[in-house]
Amino acid sequence: MTLYIGREASKLWKRVCAEVATEISLLAENWKYLLAGIVFQYIHGLAARGVHYIHRPGPILQDVGFLLLPELGQEKAYISETVFTVVFLSFVLWTFHPFIFKSKKVYTVLVWCRVLAFLVASQILRIITFYSTQLPGPNYHCREGSKLARLPHPDSVIEVLLINFPRGVIYGCGDLIFSSHMIFTLVFVRTYQKYGTRRFIKQFAWFIAVVQSLLIIASRKHYTVDVVVAWYTVNLVVFFVDKKLPELPDRSSGIGSLLLPLSTRDKDGRTKEENHKLLNGNSGDDWRQRVQINGKILEDGNTVHTDTTMDGA
């Protein structure tokens, strides 16, 4: 038993090292795109902070969602944020799980380049929209009488640039159309829909996206229009931006071995091909092979049948 655990631990460590080497080489080529996407997250937060200064509380607008869904109230407002946090952390862990498990078919760095491109495109549209028209916030801290509904004039530029993180993000007002929470949720769900391998998780993810939408309205973080606009805007953005981006390389085609900075034979005497098999999880005891077609990962349980006919055979 001890020998088996030691052998598996050794395989895991070598696979992690191979993954790290591959991802570092990809990071060296794509770090500018990742950095630009991360910097824009700050710009998006700065824009949301800025619109809070010009927010003016007023009567809550008539909303169908508010009539149909009872308000959770300040005491239960955490439910919506908790669901979103679980979605966020689950997606992040999924993008990094290949360093541990054998089922990796995509590269972590390239997936995040794609995700950040979707987020940036959606957030640019969001900034333009909520600066065009400021609606009175429906959330409890944005209503008339709340000290947080209006921000006093900033004393310095530094105060604006610091955006009072994270309190300034959580208790923001005025950045309504359309929902930022739904941008992240839908981008994550659409990404897993294309590159994930578990059909059940894909179906469950869409269910959670619907639940998240209802919770956002019930907690009065957004009007119903903010959620509805997010649903069709983000899906359209992902659809069109995805067509402009180069497709992720298929690991099963052997590209991964070209990315590995390995010599012809490593210190343990393994060839590049053997390291590539270890990297992709195609060891001798793993007889199941998943197939990637046109950049989409087929779910577990699906098989592809091909009929090959040769003349003269």
Side-chain angles (χ1 to χ4, degrees), residues 5 67 78 129 164 215 226 266 282:
I5 295 176
L67 296 176
Y78 69 90
T129 305
N164 192 22
L215 287 174
D226 306 337
D266 61 11
N282 298 330

mmCIF file of all heavy atoms in Angstrom, residues 5 67 78 129 164 215 226 266 282:
data_model
loop_
_atom_site.group_PDB
_atom_site.id
_atom_site.type_symbol
_atom_site.label_atom_id
_atom_site.label_comp_id
_atom_site.label_asym_id
_atom_site.label_seq_id
_atom_site.Cartn_x
_atom_site.Cartn_y
_atom_site.Cartn_z
ATOM 1 N N ILE A 5 1.154 4.196 -2.950
ATOM 2 C CA ILE A 5 0.959 5.625 -2.690
ATOM 3 C C ILE A 5 2.185 6.417 -3.119
ATOM 4 O O ILE A 5 2.086 7.485 -3.730
ATOM 5 C CB ILE A 5 0.652 5.861 -1.196
ATOM 6 C CG1 ILE A 5 -0.684 5.218 -0.818
ATOM 7 C CG2 ILE A 5 0.640 7.342 -0.873
ATOM 8 C CD1 ILE A 5 -1.016 5.319 0.660
ATOM 9 N N LEU A 67 -42.365 42.578 -8.188
ATOM 10 C CA LEU A 67 -43.738 42.190 -7.874
ATOM 11 C C LEU A 67 -43.869 40.673 -7.705
ATOM 12 O O LEU A 67 -44.670 40.199 -6.896
ATOM 13 C CB LEU A 67 -44.687 42.662 -8.987
ATOM 14 C CG LEU A 67 -44.795 44.184 -9.179
ATOM 15 C CD1 LEU A 67 -45.685 44.491 -10.376
ATOM 16 C CD2 LEU A 67 -45.324 44.848 -7.921
ATOM 17 N N TYR A 78 -26.971 38.100 1.875
ATOM 18 C CA TYR A 78 -25.729 37.335 1.692
ATOM 19 C C TYR A 78 -25.923 36.104 0.815
ATOM 20 O O TYR A 78 -24.953 35.557 0.271
ATOM 21 C CB TYR A 78 -25.188 36.893 3.049
ATOM 22 C CG TYR A 78 -26.036 35.841 3.742
ATOM 23 C CD1 TYR A 78 -25.789 34.481 3.533
ATOM 24 C CD2 TYR A 78 -27.090 36.195 4.574
ATOM 25 C CE1 TYR A 78 -26.568 33.509 4.151
ATOM 26 C CE2 TYR A 78 -27.873 35.237 5.189
ATOM 27 C CZ TYR A 78 -27.604 33.900 4.975
ATOM 28 O OH TYR A 78 -28.380 32.938 5.565
ATOM 29 N N THR A 129 -23.155 51.850 -20.813
ATOM 30 C CA THR A 129 -24.585 51.834 -20.525
ATOM 31 C C THR A 129 -24.915 52.528 -19.215
ATOM 32 O O THR A 129 -25.794 53.389 -19.161
ATOM 33 C CB THR A 129 -25.102 50.375 -20.473
ATOM 34 O OG1 THR A 129 -24.761 49.719 -21.693
ATOM 35 C CG2 THR A 129 -26.611 50.346 -20.302
ATOM 36 N N ASN A 164 -11.903 52.452 -2.452
ATOM 37 C CA ASN A 164 -12.377 51.915 -1.169
ATOM 38 C C ASN A 164 -12.630 50.404 -1.255
ATOM 39 O O ASN A 164 -13.661 49.898 -0.832
ATOM 40 C CB ASN A 164 -13.657 52.637 -0.735
ATOM 41 C CG ASN A 164 -14.020 52.340 0.707
ATOM 42 O OD1 ASN A 164 -13.172 51.950 1.508
ATOM 43 N ND2 ASN A 164 -15.294 52.523 1.039
ATOM 44 N N LEU A 215 -32.000 35.382 -7.583
ATOM 45 C CA LEU A 215 -31.511 35.868 -6.291
ATOM 46 C C LEU A 215 -31.068 37.328 -6.373
ATOM 47 O O LEU A 215 -31.259 38.102 -5.422
ATOM 48 C CB LEU A 215 -30.345 35.001 -5.814
ATOM 49 C CG LEU A 215 -30.701 33.598 -5.326
ATOM 50 C CD1 LEU A 215 -29.441 32.792 -5.027
ATOM 51 C CD2 LEU A 215 -31.589 33.671 -4.082
ATOM 52 N N ASP A 226 -31.799 44.824 -15.644
ATOM 53 C CA ASP A 226 -30.346 44.655 -15.581
ATOM 54 C C ASP A 226 -29.941 43.208 -15.832
ATOM 55 O O ASP A 226 -28.923 42.930 -16.471
ATOM 56 C CB ASP A 226 -29.829 45.093 -14.207
ATOM 57 C CG ASP A 226 -30.267 46.504 -13.850
ATOM 58 O OD1 ASP A 226 -30.568 47.276 -14.781
ATOM 59 O OD2 ASP A 226 -30.317 46.823 -12.655
ATOM 60 N N ASP A 266 15.060 12.853 -20.719
ATOM 61 C CA ASP A 266 15.293 13.541 -19.456
ATOM 62 C C ASP A 266 16.147 12.672 -18.545
ATOM 63 O O ASP A 266 16.631 11.606 -18.922
ATOM 64 C CB ASP A 266 13.965 13.924 -18.789
ATOM 65 C CG ASP A 266 13.120 12.703 -18.475
ATOM 66 O OD1 ASP A 266 13.644 11.570 -18.588
ATOM 67 O OD2 ASP A 266 11.953 12.875 -18.098
ATOM 68 N N ASN A 282 -2.441 10.247 -20.481
ATOM 69 C CA ASN A 282 -2.662 9.062 -21.307
ATOM 70 C C ASN A 282 -1.678 7.965 -20.942
ATOM 71 O O ASN A 282 -0.883 7.503 -21.735
ATOM 72 C CB ASN A 282 -2.491 9.416 -22.789
ATOM 73 C CG ASN A 282 -3.509 10.436 -23.234
ATOM 74 O OD1 ASN A 282 -4.614 10.466 -22.695
ATOM 75 N ND2 ASN A 282 -3.146 11.272 -24.194
#
